[in-house]
Amino acid sequence: DQQVKQNSPSLSVQEGRISILNCDYTNSMFDYFLWYKKYPAEGPTFLISISSIKDKNEDGRFTVFLNKSAKHLSLHIVPSQPGDSAVYFCAASGLGQAGTALIFGKGTTLSVSS
Amino acid sequence: DADVTQTPRNRITKTGKRIMLECSQTKGHDRMYWYRQDPGLGLRLIYYSFDVKDINKGEISDGYSVSRQAQAKFSLSLESAIPNQTALYFCATSDSRQVDTQYFGPGTRLTVL
């Protein structure tokens, strides 16, 4: 059973607007969450992360929110730019989860139109 | 130069052939990982290594083996390739002092006919 779920395979947003990508998890042992961005023909690149002791982390245009009670996190991109068009993976890690190996969601493809 | 490199970048092989994918890193990280990506399935962990003498199976290790030749090198082998091993393979590294952030190579696209 999937422990990290990204239920929206795709999202389309206009340039300048907000993009919200969602991720749900099932295992309460996860204590660290990350977002990766992936362009075609490239490996995933680290974008932003959040510890389970926080509920928000911000880095420039990117903000990740964590709701532990709902086992839900989201990535907000404001304002969205065409260069943000990529596949976004949510990932989680924690004790007992293959050491510190990451558990990934299936990804959400974001398309930002100008 | 890229911090994490993978060779080859693309490979087409036939069923039953042995194939090795190689990963090298210049980041000085002690931990290395192999993942597989299939369309619609995200990335799944095959094997990981926390140092040269440490090898661990991941979620989908059957049909694969690995070798950690040095801290900077981690290779993945398919002893007898089969068509359902056609996928995109990624190597990643992390620092034990910052274990949760992994850095990925560019990937190897493997096709098994």
Side-chain angles (χ1 to χ4, degrees):
Chain A
D1 195 22
Q2 269 193 286
Q3 298 187 71
V4 178
K5 301 178 183 179
Q6 293 177 257
N7 292 319
S8 297
S10 62
L11 175 67
S12 294
V13 174
Q14 283 191 320
E15 182 178 8
R17 306 294 291 266
I18 184 172
S19 296
I20 300 176
L21 296 93
N22 294 304
C23 179
D24 297 296
Y25 61 96
T26 58
N27 194 328
S28 59
M29 291 288 286
F30 289 137
D31 58 9
Y32 202 76
F33 303 90
L34 307 89
W35 285 94
Y36 281 81
K37 179 169 70 174
K38 184 183 179 305
Y39 292 119
E42 295 183 11
T45 54
F46 171 73
L47 189 58
I48 192 170
S49 62
I50 187 167
S51 166
S52 61
I53 63 174
K54 296 185 176 181
D55 55 17
K56 176 182 176 181
N57 188 28
E58 190 172 357
D59 183 1
R61 296 186 297 114
F62 303 91
T63 303
V64 56
F65 296 92
L66 175 63
N67 182 334
K68 285 177 59 180
S69 61
K71 294 191 177 66
H72 177 84
L73 64 155
S74 60
L75 174 67
H76 293 210
I77 306 174
V78 183
S80 300
Q81 299 174 353
D84 295 329
S85 298
V87 179
Y88 289 78
F89 290 101
C90 172
S93 70
L95 296 177
Q97 301 295 321
T100 56
L102 298 175
I103 307 297
F104 284 86
K106 293 183 178 182
T108 296
T109 299
L110 173 65
S111 299
V112 180
S113 56
S114 55
Chain B
D1 286 339
D3 296 319
V4 184
T5 57
Q6 294 183 232
T7 55
R9 293 295 311 278
N10 289 282
R11 180 72 182 268
I12 299 174
T13 191
K14 294 183 178 180
T15 297
K17 294 291 187 180
R18 183 180 189 275
I19 185 167
M20 179 181 289
L21 309 183
E22 299 191 13
C23 177
S24 295
Q25 52 114 348
T26 59
K27 299 184 76 67
H29 289 170
D30 49 352
R31 300 184 175 201
M32 299 186 73
Y33 310 81
W34 275 104
Y35 290 89
R36 166 180 172 161
Q37 184 189 10
D38 296 277
L41 289 181
L43 286 87
R44 293 180 292 167
L45 182 66
I46 305 173
Y47 270 97
Y48 62 104
S49 169
F50 285 171
D51 64 42
V52 174
K53 296 181 180 179
D54 176 79
I55 301 289
N56 303 281
K57 293 183 177 180
E59 177 187 356
I60 53 165
S61 59
D62 287 349
Y64 301 95
S65 62
V66 291
S67 174
R68 186 82 183 266
Q69 303 95 320
Q71 186 186 40
K73 296 184 182 297
F74 192 36
S75 59
L76 175 72
S77 294
L78 288 69
E79 296 300 326
S80 180
I82 56 176
N84 76 1
Q85 291 177 313
T86 294
L88 197 52
Y89 290 85
F90 290 103
C91 174
T93 73
S94 69
D95 185 336
S96 56
R97 296 165 297 178
Q98 192 182 13
V99 295
D100 295 288
T101 302
Q102 295 182 14
Y103 299 87
F104 285 80
T108 294
R109 183 168 295 281
L110 176 66
T111 302
V112 182
L113 302 177

